[in-house]
Amino acid sequence: MGDVRGAYDPLARSLTEAGFRVAVADLRGHGDSSATFADYGDEATATDLISLIEALDAGPAILIGASMSGAAAVIAAGRRPDLVRGLVLICPFLRGPENRVGAFLQRTVLGLALLRPWGPAVWNSYSARLWPGLPDARQRAARLVTLLRRPGRWRAFWATTRTDHRVVAPWMDRVDCPVLVVMGSDDPDWKDPETEATWVARVVGGDPRETAEVMMVPGAGHAPMLERPDVVGPRVVDFLGRIVPDADIPRPVGERRGE
């Protein structure tokens, strides 16, 4: 949330160069998406992901979600396992405070902090620290806040921040596909990013004998696919190559895997 689909550009290039069909989308109220929706957050985004797969006749697809959209990807995979072949969860938020009081306090504090007129400045300062691997992190944060200042956008963004990630819990053990968890070692959203990644790998999926793969990205924060595309891209391509049948990857005439 607060970001746009351009954050996936380096990863999308790596995937298309490997022969995969790639579609990227902005969250509701973000980027080029409309800001007139009634609902925002994890469950609404999951609905949009399912609709996108169906509209493109792309199922079963690999869903790649970062941060909040990682939560949405898990919900979508749980709802429609027939449409999801695999998940790549990048710095995913799959849980909130364990009790109602903690959740209420967190939502209240965040809601107040992001109210206008001070909200854009608060978010600008916070998001500039999310990507320690980007030399232009401050400038990028400022550009994103400028986009959020467009008519109706800040209201939609504020509504998006109200999502309660506890809604993901009922869907975690319904995921029935391979999962890759990608986490920046310097992600400021967690005290211990590696511990969070390990927890995600353990709880996502219905088979207790299998855990998701985990990739820790040194020097990266909350957008490792953008901060370290040189290491994230090849690992995601490798992961997809192992779970997608070769016949399902369209390639130019004469090209074969490994050549």
Side-chain angles (χ1 to χ4, degrees):
M1 58 187 179
D3 215 320
V4 293
R5 66 184 188 275
Y8 293 97
D9 282 353
L11 179 55
R13 283 194 295 271
S14 294
L15 293 173
T16 55
E17 289 170 1
F20 292 97
R21 179 190 185 194
V22 180
V24 292
D26 285 314
L27 292 173
R28 296 182 178 192
H30 292 61
D32 291 324
S33 289
S34 170
T36 58
F37 291 92
D39 299 310
Y40 297 86
D42 294 346
E43 293 173 307
T45 305
T47 297
D48 293 340
L49 292 174
I50 292 171
S51 297
L52 182 60
I53 294 173
E54 292 179 327
L56 296 176
D57 191 22
I62 309 292
L63 288 180
I64 302 177
S67 192
M68 189 198 86
S69 60
V74 170
I75 295 173
R79 286 183 185 171
R80 293 293 306 273
D82 58 309
L83 292 180
V84 181
R85 191 193 300 270
L87 295 175
V88 179
L89 306 177
I90 303 175
C91 305
F93 268 102
L94 302 190
R95 56 177 169 177
E98 295 182 357
N99 57 72
R100 292 179 180 274
V101 174
F104 172 78
L105 290 175
Q106 183 184 73
R107 284 160 57 89
T108 300
V109 171
L110 182 62
L112 291 173
L114 295 179
L115 285 176
R116 303 191 78 164
W118 56 79
V122 171
W123 185 252
N124 189 6
S125 176
Y126 171 75
S127 59
R129 298 193 293 270
L130 286 176
W131 320 296
L134 289 182
D136 64 340
R138 290 179 180 273
Q139 294 90 333
R140 186 169 192 272
R143 290 195 300 270
L144 292 174
V145 169
T146 297
L147 292 177
L148 290 172
R149 288 180 179 273
R150 292 177 296 166
R153 302 290 169 163
W154 193 261
R155 181 198 62 81
F157 167 64
W158 188 89
T160 305
T161 69
R162 313 304 292 159
T163 191
D164 185 343
H165 299 302
R166 292 181 298 170
V167 299
V168 184
W171 302 101
M172 289 179 180
D173 62 2
R174 299 190 186 187
V175 173
D176 187 25
C177 62
V179 179
L180 171 64
V181 181
V182 181
M183 184 75 76
S185 64
D186 297 333
D187 191 330
D189 275 341
W190 287 280
K191 292 181 180 180
D192 188 339
E194 187 167 6
T195 296
E196 185 69 16
T198 302
W199 174 81
V200 172
R202 187 177 70 251
V203 301
V204 174
D207 190 343
R209 296 168 300 177
E210 298 182 8
T211 59
E213 299 179 29
V214 174
M215 177 189 189
M216 297 301 301
V217 185
H222 202 54
M225 70 288 192
L226 183 62
E227 298 168 79
R228 292 296 310 275
D230 56 320
V231 295
V232 175
R235 178 62 182 275
V236 174
V237 169
D238 174 73
F239 175 71
L240 268 61
R242 285 186 279 116
I243 66 175
V244 177
D246 189 74
D248 285 0
I249 305 175
R251 300 176 184 282
V253 175
E255 180 181 351
R256 296 292 186 270
R257 187 183 300 279
E259 294 183 358

